[in-house]
Amino acid sequence: MKVLGYASSSKEAGLTPYNFTRRDPRPKDVVIEILYCGICHTDIHAARNDWNSTIYPVVLGHEIIGRVVSVGPDVTRYKQGDNLGIGCMVDSCQKCDACEQGEEQYCKKGATLTYNSIDPHDQMKTFGGYSEKIVVPENFVLRIPDSLDLKGAAPLLCAGVTTWSPLRHWKIGKGSEVGVVGLGGLGHMALKLAKGRGANVTLFSRSPGKEQDARRLGADDIVISTDANQMASVNNKFDLIIDTVPYVHDVNPYIASLSRNGTLVMVGFLGNLDPTLNTAPMVRGRKSLAGSAIGGIAETQELLDFCGEHGITSDIELIKIQDVNKAYERMLKSDVKYRFVIDVDSLKARG
Amino acid sequence: MKVLGYASSSKEAGLTPYNFTRRDPRPKDVVIEILYCGICHTDIHAARNDWNSTIYPVVLGHEIIGRVVSVGPDVTRYKQGDNLGIGCMVDSCQKCDACEQGEEQYCKKGATLTYNSIDPHDQMKTFGGYSEKIVVPENFVLRIPDSLDLKGAAPLLCAGVTTWSPLRHWKIGKGSEVGVVGLGGLGHMALKLAKGRGANVTLFSRSPGKEQDARRLGADDIVISTDANQMASVNNKFDLIIDTVPYVHDVNPYIASLSRNGTLVMVGFLGNLDPTLNTAPMVRGRKSLAGSAIGGIAETQELLDFCGEHGITSDIELIKIQDVNKAYERMLKSDVKYRFVIDVDSLKARG
């Protein structure tokens, strides 16, 4: 199957139109025409090979909304015309205990990622959602509730489930105290979802000026993290803090603001903590530091259904695919409220 | 009440006989003749002011076994002649949510510690178990099951409950995979208690030669932590690792050996991690690093009852109080299997 997309071909190149071949559909596959695709910070890392793992050329995009074009003979759950979503994974071993427990993101053999992965069935490289079509096994496809705006639903597939999964795992509900560090794509979803679950929600922000927006998104309070008095006022307060900051930063002040038995979960930064972590307040309050990656397929569906019931979507700015490189530059300056979504229909305007 | 004990009077002095005054009993107090007192590593830190918090002279000891001499008029649960235990705390505010939930060790106002604390009721300093008698409110006194050897029960009050509390909090039971780092006073209790709860237990040790002893204490396996192949063999294995090492060390290899959703809980080291923690494997497996401090009063009683049912006590070496300074030196060389306990009757051999 010949497909047009946008690809990054080298660390410096920027994204340009790219024709590539997708696999022919297997009996359990769904062929999907892509309508929208959110832009995740991970896309930028992969485009620029920040993690030294990019196989060029790479077609990015793992916040995909599309419509079913055709289904294989063994597909039972979807039919032509259905609105569907695809997130960060398109397959996993389906046999390990992680997969059996619906935590495919932690598959022992490694899930097959939506882009820049090698499909173990045919050794073909996977290509993401900055493209016309995608072919995905039905058990990695998500149903989009009719009530949701499709554009705003795209970021639920990564930014949404990445913040939903810890809220669910750490049993956040009515009366829980939740802190959110950082107000970007993930942070703004964390505010909406924590509020949606009934928690009291506080945004930690380095700079003033975000208060009005934060409150609109669900925050009950805002704490300026550079203000020692404000930080002291939330000492030992939070059951869960979702730290969405994607670069290295000092986590110790957030540990101080965890309640007894509280957890700081990092969903943005992977690497060596600097400054280092002080364990003393963790011992003295049975506090935890944890990490969490995206979410399983069943919990992604649960999130989408929850968002359908609660009318929650991402705040987005819709762009044409021809503007993707400009969008990347703006994202690096945090100049987006709060997620760029590509109108993939703009791919047709080639020529 | 005049009491004889052994005290440290300065950083360098070593412990010597010391006469001091304890408070007169209040209506809810139990007056206890001390029979045995375990020696905890914390005693050495306090004796030598390692944490810059010692108020000299300090009478150490918070693994206390004694017998009731008299009870106040409002004491309902204990009577003269009962065998009792006292651990690291002798009081707490009893009003905060931590106290109300049976987690007095995390009392918001700070629990009154058995020694080197100021009693908020009378501003008197507290003195520990290296002494003839102690006066404690009945709700901070533990009942010792008749089936337990009193000498071997003493270390349950600190080393025991410090390892019991995380086993309980993280719901370790039959089939759980538990790792224990370090084979000292805490480590040997962790092996016994994890095994007692039905877990599969692995000891991490830096040096070979401990295998036979570890297996006797409850370990199913031993992993030499300096052997990369052995460490690789337990990759992603453990639901809970109890890290009892009291000095700074690299925790990253133990994070690697945690299973998905597993927790490394530090009960020995309080301070800055060096080398620093790498969060990447934590994100990729939803792993946690936590701390934990001793245990609440109700769970200490639960531990003692559990030990009574399962015939679990500490492996101890009984010493006279006159040999306490020698014991400290041996502890600093890890030359004890696995806990020194002072026969407090030896205090009478003065003069």
Side-chain angles (χ1 to χ4, degrees):
Chain A
M1 185 187 303
K2 294 285 176 194
V3 178
L4 174 66
Y6 259 59
S8 168
S9 300
S10 76
K11 202 171 166 60
E12 303 83 9
L15 273 58
T16 50
Y18 174 64
N19 285 290
F20 61 98
T21 303
R22 288 201 188 271
R23 72 157 185 261
D24 293 324
R26 299 169 195 142
K28 290 200 167 184
D29 279 348
V30 181
V31 180
I32 297 156
E33 176 195 8
I34 297 173
L35 303 174
Y36 300 107
C37 186
I39 302 181
C40 175
H41 216 96
T42 299
D43 297 352
I44 304 182
H45 286 303
R48 302 183 179 195
N49 199 16
D50 290 340
W51 296 331
N52 287 313
S53 59
T54 302
I55 314 163
Y56 290 109
V58 61
V59 175
L60 307 151
H62 58 206
E63 294 182 340
I64 301 169
I65 297 286
R67 191 163 290 150
V68 179
V69 174
S70 64
V71 299
D74 296 348
V75 168
T76 59
R77 283 182 278 168
Y78 302 105
K79 62 178 194 306
Q80 198 181 342
D82 285 350
N83 292 328
L84 300 183
I86 299 114
C88 301
M89 303 179 283
V90 290
D91 209 351
S92 72
C93 85
Q94 301 288 295
K95 287 173 187 160
C96 72
D97 54 359
C99 288
E100 285 182 352
Q101 291 162 26
E103 299 188 352
E104 299 90 348
Q105 75 273 36
Y106 305 124
C107 172
K108 279 189 175 163
K109 299 209 165 176
T112 306
L113 301 180
T114 303
Y115 62 76
N116 200 45
S117 245
I118 300 298
D119 183 333
H121 297 290
D122 57 16
Q123 309 306 315
M124 286 175 75
K125 194 166 65 164
T126 60
F127 296 103
Y130 298 5
S131 62
E132 297 168 309
K133 286 183 187 172
I134 192 165
V135 180
V136 181
E138 74 166 334
N139 55 350
F140 278 78
V141 163
L142 289 308
R143 187 174 297 281
I144 307 298
D146 290 337
S147 61
L148 289 182
D149 172 67
L150 292 178
K151 304 181 288 299
L156 300 178
L157 279 313
C158 172
V161 74
T162 298
T163 51
W164 175 258
S165 184
L167 291 169
R168 187 177 180 277
H169 184 72
W170 278 280
K171 300 181 170 55
I172 294 305
K174 192 163 167 53
S176 301
E177 292 287 348
V178 173
V180 174
V181 185
L183 184 56
L186 271 66
H188 99 290
M189 285 309 311
L191 294 181
K192 292 187 183 204
L193 295 173
K195 194 65 191 172
R197 291 180 72 104
N200 303 319
V201 188
T202 299
L203 176 71
F204 291 96
S205 176
R206 286 200 300 173
S207 46
K210 296 183 182 167
E211 178 148 352
Q212 200 179 346
D213 227 21
R215 289 192 187 275
R216 179 181 61 78
L217 295 165
D220 299 289
D221 287 297
I222 290 87
V223 168
I224 303 301
S225 58
T226 51
D227 181 324
N229 287 336
Q230 289 197 30
M231 287 300 283
S233 75
V234 291
N235 216 20
N236 298 314
K237 182 181 175 81
F238 299 103
D239 301 307
L240 182 71
I241 297 176
I242 301 182
D243 183 337
T244 71
V245 176
Y247 46 80
V248 68
H249 58 287
D250 188 359
V251 299
N252 291 294
Y254 303 114
I255 296 284
S257 75
L258 287 176
S259 68
R260 172 175 54 97
N261 301 321
T263 297
L264 173 72
V265 59
M266 305 189 74
V267 297
F269 174 67
L270 286 78
N272 287 325
L273 289 181
D274 182 20
T276 191
L277 181 69
N278 187 325
T279 64
M282 303 177 75
V283 172
R284 294 193 183 114
R286 195 160 53 196
K287 300 176 178 185
S288 295
L289 175 80
S292 180
I294 50 173
I297 295 298
E299 71 182 335
T300 307
Q301 188 62 62
E302 181 194 70
L303 161 69
L304 290 164
D305 295 344
F306 178 91
C307 288
E309 285 164 31
H310 289 74
I312 295 174
T313 52
S314 174
D315 284 22
I316 66 143
E317 180 175 338
L318 194 68
I319 64 163
K320 294 178 183 170
I321 201 162
Q322 292 80 2
D323 293 328
V324 66
N325 295 303
K326 274 187 277 182
Y328 278 17
E329 292 309 317
R330 285 182 53 196
M331 282 171 70
L332 291 171
K333 291 181 282 191
S334 301
D335 175 23
V336 54
K337 286 183 178 178
Y338 282 92
R339 204 69 155 176
F340 287 115
V341 171
I342 299 168
D343 181 353
V344 178
D345 197 50
S346 59
L347 252 182
K348 293 176 184 157
R350 62 187 183 267
Chain B
M1 185 187 301
K2 295 283 175 194
V3 179
L4 174 67
Y6 258 58
S8 167
S9 299
S10 76
K11 203 171 166 58
E12 304 82 10
L15 275 56
T16 50
Y18 174 62
N19 285 290
F20 61 98
T21 303
R22 287 201 188 271
R23 72 158 185 263
D24 293 324
R26 300 170 196 140
K28 290 200 166 183
D29 279 348
V30 181
V31 180
I32 297 156
E33 176 196 7
I34 298 174
L35 304 174
Y36 301 106
C37 186
I39 302 181
C40 174
H41 216 95
T42 299
D43 297 352
I44 304 184
H45 287 303
R48 302 183 177 195
N49 199 17
D50 289 340
W51 296 331
N52 288 312
S53 59
T54 302
I55 314 163
Y56 290 108
V58 61
V59 175
L60 307 151
H62 58 207
E63 295 182 340
I64 301 169
I65 296 286
R67 191 164 290 151
V68 179
V69 174
S70 63
V71 299
D74 295 348
V75 169
T76 59
R77 284 182 277 168
Y78 302 106
K79 62 177 194 308
Q80 197 183 341
D82 285 351
N83 292 327
L84 300 183
I86 298 114
C88 301
M89 303 179 283
V90 291
D91 210 350
S92 71
C93 84
Q94 301 288 296
K95 287 172 188 162
C96 72
D97 55 358
C99 288
E100 284 183 352
Q101 291 163 27
E103 300 188 353
E104 300 90 349
Q105 74 274 34
Y106 305 123
C107 172
K108 279 189 175 164
K109 300 212 164 173
T112 306
L113 302 180
T114 303
Y115 62 77
N116 199 45
S117 246
I118 300 298
D119 184 334
H121 297 289
D122 57 16
Q123 309 305 315
M124 286 175 75
K125 194 165 66 165
T126 60
F127 296 103
Y130 299 6
S131 63
E132 297 168 309
K133 286 182 187 172
I134 192 165
V135 180
V136 182
E138 73 166 335
N139 54 351
F140 279 78
V141 163
L142 289 310
R143 188 174 296 283
I144 307 298
D146 290 337
S147 61
L148 289 182
D149 171 66
L150 292 178
K151 303 183 289 299
L156 300 178
L157 279 312
C158 172
V161 75
T162 298
T163 51
W164 176 258
S165 184
L167 291 169
R168 187 176 179 278
H169 184 73
W170 279 281
K171 301 183 171 54
I172 294 305
K174 193 165 167 51
S176 301
E177 292 287 348
V178 173
V180 174
V181 185
L183 184 56
L186 272 66
H188 99 291
M189 285 309 312
L191 293 181
K192 292 186 183 205
L193 296 173
K195 193 66 190 173
R197 290 179 72 104
N200 303 318
V201 188
T202 299
L203 175 71
F204 290 96
S205 176
R206 284 200 302 173
S207 47
K210 295 183 182 165
E211 178 147 353
Q212 201 179 345
D213 227 21
R215 288 192 188 276
R216 179 180 62 76
L217 294 165
D220 299 289
D221 287 298
I222 290 87
V223 167
I224 303 302
S225 57
T226 52
D227 181 325
N229 287 335
Q230 288 196 32
M231 287 300 283
S233 75
V234 291
N235 217 19
N236 298 314
K237 182 180 176 82
F238 298 103
D239 301 306
L240 182 71
I241 297 176
I242 301 182
D243 184 337
T244 70
V245 176
Y247 46 80
V248 66
H249 58 286
D250 188 359
V251 299
N252 292 295
Y254 303 114
I255 297 284
S257 75
L258 286 177
S259 69
R260 172 174 53 97
N261 300 322
T263 297
L264 173 71
V265 59
M266 304 189 75
V267 297
F269 174 66
L270 286 79
N272 286 325
L273 290 181
D274 183 19
T276 190
L277 182 69
N278 187 325
T279 64
M282 303 177 74
V283 172
R284 294 193 183 114
R286 195 161 52 199
K287 300 177 179 184
S288 295
L289 175 79
S292 179
I294 50 172
I297 295 298
E299 70 183 336
T300 307
Q301 188 62 61
E302 180 194 71
L303 161 69
L304 290 165
D305 295 344
F306 179 90
C307 288
E309 285 164 29
H310 289 74
I312 295 173
T313 53
S314 174
D315 285 22
I316 65 141
E317 180 175 336
L318 195 68
I319 63 164
K320 294 179 183 168
I321 201 163
Q322 292 79 3
D323 293 328
V324 66
N325 294 303
K326 274 187 278 182
Y328 278 19
E329 293 308 318
R330 285 182 53 197
M331 282 170 70
L332 292 170
K333 291 182 286 191
S334 299
D335 175 23
V336 54
K337 286 184 177 177
Y338 283 92
R339 204 68 156 177
F340 286 115
V341 171
I342 298 168
D343 182 352
V344 178
D345 196 50
S346 60
L347 252 181
K348 293 177 184 155
R350 63 188 181 270

